[in-house]
Amino acid sequence: MGKKKNVVSIEDRIPMLKQERKKKANRRLIFYLSIFFFLISIIVYLQSPLSHVKTIDVSGNSFAKDQEVIQQSNISKDTNIWMINESKVVQAISENPVVKSVEVNRQLPWTIEIQLKEYDQVGYIKREGSFYPILGNGRVLTEMKQKLANGDAPLILGFSEEAYLDNMTAELKKLPESILNLISEIHWKPSDDNQNKILLYMNDGYMVDGTIRNFADKMDVYPSIVAQLKPESKGIIHIGVGAYFESFNDDTEEDEIQNETEG
């Protein structure tokens, strides 16, 4: 005998189908209600103080003050963190002459990070008996008046014309830190023949005679020249056309160093 098949009539299946449809409808309703309440929650969040900036972290700044940077950013604790236009903030802060580059990031839930890169200090300039830091872009930080220079950068003296000072600082920012730290003073000594003439006093006791034009490239030979000199030798290192050493006490060293560097 064959197996008896269970037959379910359509009348028996109708309640089951209705129940399945009801479950699907309920799940759909719950899904739509969830989306609705989620959207409402977002709207409430965006309209409430919960979405406002609570912390602004400024880093990488030595010359620009935190509060100055925050003021320039136009971000306050009433600012919605999602309404901040990073590119506009970067553009606003970049107008600060000490700022080389800016990066702005959100750190949820309430923090804005502003990371700065400033122009390097290349020296101090003396004006009316006081010293002011000067940056590689020629910017003199007049708000940072000092009675004495700290000795961490060279004194830049005698530059009465802004154009030559700008050219000098542009050259100094190209120098390796190891060479920049050796310079004690830079004096502008213009002549009728050469308006770019400069005289340097070095921390290791030597003097350097050179020009502003291509100064950074020409100053590269300084360590190699010093390495050839006797420790007790003192004099002027010329880095103009060719590079040579002129001793204060003995002129015989001039040709010796000149030949070695030119060869």
Side-chain angles (χ1 to χ4, degrees), residues 121-140:
Q121 180 182 350
V122 296
Y124 291 92
I125 189 166
K126 188 176 181 180
R127 290 180 176 174
E128 298 178 355
S130 297
F131 297 92
Y132 301 90
I134 185 167
L135 306 182
N137 62 345
R139 164 75 173 181
V140 179

Side-chain angles (χ1 to χ4, degrees), residues 90-108:
V90 168
Q91 184 178 359
I93 298 175
S94 296
E95 292 179 2
N96 190 321
V98 307
V99 175
K100 189 174 183 179
S101 62
V102 189
E103 186 176 339
V104 179
N105 297 302
R106 292 187 185 91
Q107 280 285 13
L108 299 178

Side-chain angles (χ1 to χ4, degrees), residues 118-177:
E118 297 178 326
Y119 287 98
D120 292 331
Q121 180 182 350
V122 296
Y124 291 92
I125 189 166
K126 188 176 181 180
R127 290 180 176 174
E128 298 178 355
S130 297
F131 297 92
Y132 301 90
I134 185 167
L135 306 182
N137 62 345
R139 164 75 173 181
V140 179
L141 303 181
T142 55
E143 65 276 11
M144 298 183 68
K145 180 179 179 180
Q146 300 175 205
K147 291 184 179 180
L148 295 172
N150 291 337
D152 54 352
L155 293 178
I156 301 175
L157 304 167
F159 284 79
S160 56
E161 294 189 26
E162 201 73 23
Y164 289 97
L165 178 60
D166 289 346
N167 291 339
M168 186 73 252
T169 56
E171 288 296 318
L172 289 174
K173 74 178 181 181
K174 299 176 187 176
L175 280 180
E177 189 175 351

